[in-house]
Amino acid sequence: MTAVEFIEPLSHDEGVKNATDLFVKAFGEEPAGVWGAPGRVNLIGEHTDYNAGLCLPIALPHRTFIALKPREDTKVRVVSEVTPDKVTEADLEGLKAQGVDGWAAYPVGVAWALREAGFDQVKGFDAAFSSCVPLGSGLSSSAAMTCSTALALDDVYGLGYGSSDAGRVTLINAAIKSENEMAGASTGGLDQNASMRCTEGHALLLDCRPELTPLENVSQQAFDLDKYGLELLVVDTQAPHQLNDGQYAERCATCEKAADILGVANLRVTADGIAKADDQFQALKETLDALDDETMKKRVRHVVTEIERVRSFVRAFAQGDIEASGRLFNASHDSLAADYEVTVPELDVAVDVARKNGAYGARMTGGGFGGSIIALVDKGRSQEVAQKIADEFEAQGFHAPRALAAYAAPSASREA
């Protein structure tokens, strides 16, 4: 039996020192500052963001730290502790979408996106990254990188958007554009909003309807695990996690087509209509009967019911009904497995083991096709449940999982 690896977050001082030391080693001078942004875990509301739905993420205590210094020219040089001896270079002048390969596309793409948005004062920079957000885990290591970069560039180039919640939406848009257009990895905005707008001790209820203003589309919901004697266990299955292989885009397109057939702007309109119906089951049946394609019916059923599960979870947790909260986790995963078809065997096994070992509820989190699960467990039981999952993974010949304990942490900030 192999002991499960538990990933602890970097302390503030460790993150600042690691990023600064790498910067000095790579570029031979001190950075202008260090900034940090968290990964995120979504409590519930999966694949709803691009359907104008509801999501409920929290920021993780695990952060990406960036040490950065602006340049006078348009050259960008970036280095990561993953490959500390390899500095990647790009030039913002004349740069086009998908003009940068590999991981560097994410930070370079943020500067490119800001310039595309008319911020001509943004020029090149040197940057070094240190992170404890697990890569490829579905915990938004990419958003932690793009958001920390956006906040750093906002600061050193005096854009003035990082100091207010509404202003941060401009930086979020640059981070989203970087992922979608420079890195070619589709994202609906949940991850970047969480990394930039979550507050400590709260989950971010994110309403993705496009007609809402930045001040209207979020509300902070108390998420105090200690109050109820709970822990949120996160298990990274280490199953390969890829969202840029067409599966994500395919589901987006299916949902968009379904909305067209139903004669609505997006599936949120459908979900809200069903929620207001006297007989919700009949309203859902009539909606699905209007669609001929069986796969499309399943996708729509997931989105509509998942949006309602977010509302129900917010109410249940606020009332301290942990049993109901757990049941909603379970229903969400089952829908993602059967109707949205984005789970893999590792995710399903991890969820099953957690449920059998006392979790109130467990579900996959993130885009799926690999990545992580979350489980709501009694305080002090995370290590035990994670070990049970690791033992089952070993028995089935899966890669060894990693685990961490999550709580609602603060959003992106200047660290030094």
Side-chain angles (χ1 to χ4, degrees):
M1 183 183 79
T2 306
V4 66
E5 178 190 358
F6 238 78
I7 303 168
E8 299 294 337
L10 287 170
S11 71
H12 170 271
D13 291 347
E14 287 173 326
V16 169
K17 184 179 187 304
N18 290 355
T20 301
D21 288 352
L22 180 57
F23 188 96
V24 172
K25 179 185 175 187
F27 305 117
E29 58 182 337
E30 292 288 327
V34 179
W35 294 260
R40 68 93 186 96
V41 67
N42 194 31
L43 297 176
I44 197 163
E46 225 64 78
H47 289 280
T48 56
D49 54 349
Y50 53 84
N51 289 296
L54 297 167
C55 326
L56 194 69
I58 60 170
L60 291 171
H62 300 70
R63 297 170 82 80
T64 291
F65 294 83
I66 174 176
L68 181 144
K69 186 173 184 178
R71 297 175 60 95
E72 296 296 324
D73 57 17
T74 54
K75 183 184 287 188
V76 176
R77 299 187 298 177
V78 292
V79 64
S80 163
E81 62 186 357
V82 176
T83 51
D85 297 321
K86 183 181 179 183
V87 176
T88 302
E89 297 189 6
D91 198 316
L92 297 172
E93 191 65 43
L95 186 61
K96 303 292 185 186
Q98 300 199 356
V100 181
D101 294 327
W103 73 269
Y106 292 91
V108 175
V110 174
W112 166 79
L114 287 169
R115 286 163 63 90
E116 288 279 298
F119 297 107
D120 297 334
Q121 66 267 51
V122 175
K123 293 186 169 62
F125 60 91
D126 296 333
F129 290 91
S130 175
S131 180
C132 59
V133 183
L135 298 175
S137 58
L139 301 176
S140 297
S141 57
S142 56
M145 177 173 281
T146 55
C147 289
S148 59
T149 304
L151 195 63
L153 293 176
D154 174 81
D155 206 348
V156 299
Y157 284 113
L159 305 186
Y161 290 96
S163 59
S164 71
D165 181 58
R168 286 188 172 207
V169 174
T170 295
L171 305 181
I172 288 167
N173 289 338
I176 294 171
K177 186 179 177 76
S178 173
E179 291 208 40
N180 284 340
E181 299 182 28
M182 187 60 71
S186 298
T187 176
L190 181 159
D191 306 342
Q192 298 78 10
N193 272 280
S195 190
M196 281 288 208
R197 304 180 77 186
C198 280
T199 60
E200 190 168 8
H202 294 83
L204 188 80
L205 181 58
L206 176 63
D207 189 327
C208 299
R209 285 177 293 170
E211 64 267 25
L212 299 181
T213 70
L215 295 178
E216 293 171 333
N217 73 350
V218 300
S219 63
Q220 303 290 342
Q221 305 290 326
F223 188 68
D224 185 351
L225 293 166
D226 284 340
K227 180 178 178 181
Y228 301 115
L230 298 171
E231 290 179 346
L232 187 70
L233 169 66
V234 182
V235 178
D236 172 13
T237 65
Q238 298 222 71
H241 177 78
Q242 292 288 333
L243 284 183
N244 56 1
D245 63 356
Q247 294 278 4
Y248 183 99
E250 179 184 295
R251 280 157 180 75
C252 291
T254 299
C255 291
E256 193 174 324
K257 186 176 179 183
D260 285 342
I261 293 170
L262 295 170
V264 293
N266 49 61
L267 293 181
R268 172 62 179 281
V269 177
T270 302
D272 286 353
I274 291 171
K276 293 172 184 173
D278 291 334
D279 186 338
Q280 294 181 15
F281 291 104
Q282 181 62 26
L284 177 59
K285 180 181 183 301
E286 290 173 2
T287 296
L288 299 180
D289 285 347
L291 305 170
D292 292 331
D293 183 77
E294 288 302 316
T295 297
M296 185 179 288
K297 288 184 183 195
K298 293 199 293 185
R299 304 294 186 256
V300 170
R301 181 166 54 212
H302 166 74
V303 172
V304 168
T305 57
E306 184 78 349
I307 290 170
E308 187 56 33
R309 278 188 287 271
V310 177
R311 293 190 181 106
S312 298
F313 183 90
V314 168
R315 286 194 299 269
F317 197 87
Q319 293 164 2
D321 191 342
I322 306 308
E323 298 282 352
S325 300
R327 287 195 297 272
L328 289 161
F329 268 22
N330 290 341
S332 173
H333 181 85
D334 295 347
S335 178
L336 287 159
D339 281 346
Y340 225 65
E341 298 178 288
V342 293
T343 68
V344 294
E346 291 92 335
L347 291 169
D348 293 331
V349 167
V351 162
D352 187 52
V353 172
R355 291 177 184 175
K356 287 178 178 175
N357 285 277
Y360 292 95
R363 60 180 293 274
M364 62 148 274
T365 186
F369 307 109
S372 297
I373 70 126
I374 55 175
L376 205 55
V377 301
D378 286 323
K379 195 171 184 63
R381 294 210 61 225
S382 286
Q383 191 96 29
E384 176 190 347
V385 175
Q387 188 61 56
K388 294 281 189 183
I389 293 170
D391 293 346
E392 185 60 28
F393 272 36
E394 191 171 4
Q396 297 208 21
F398 296 155
H399 290 297
R402 301 175 293 182
L404 54 95
Y407 56 85
S411 63
S413 61
R414 179 161 185 158
E415 307 288 341

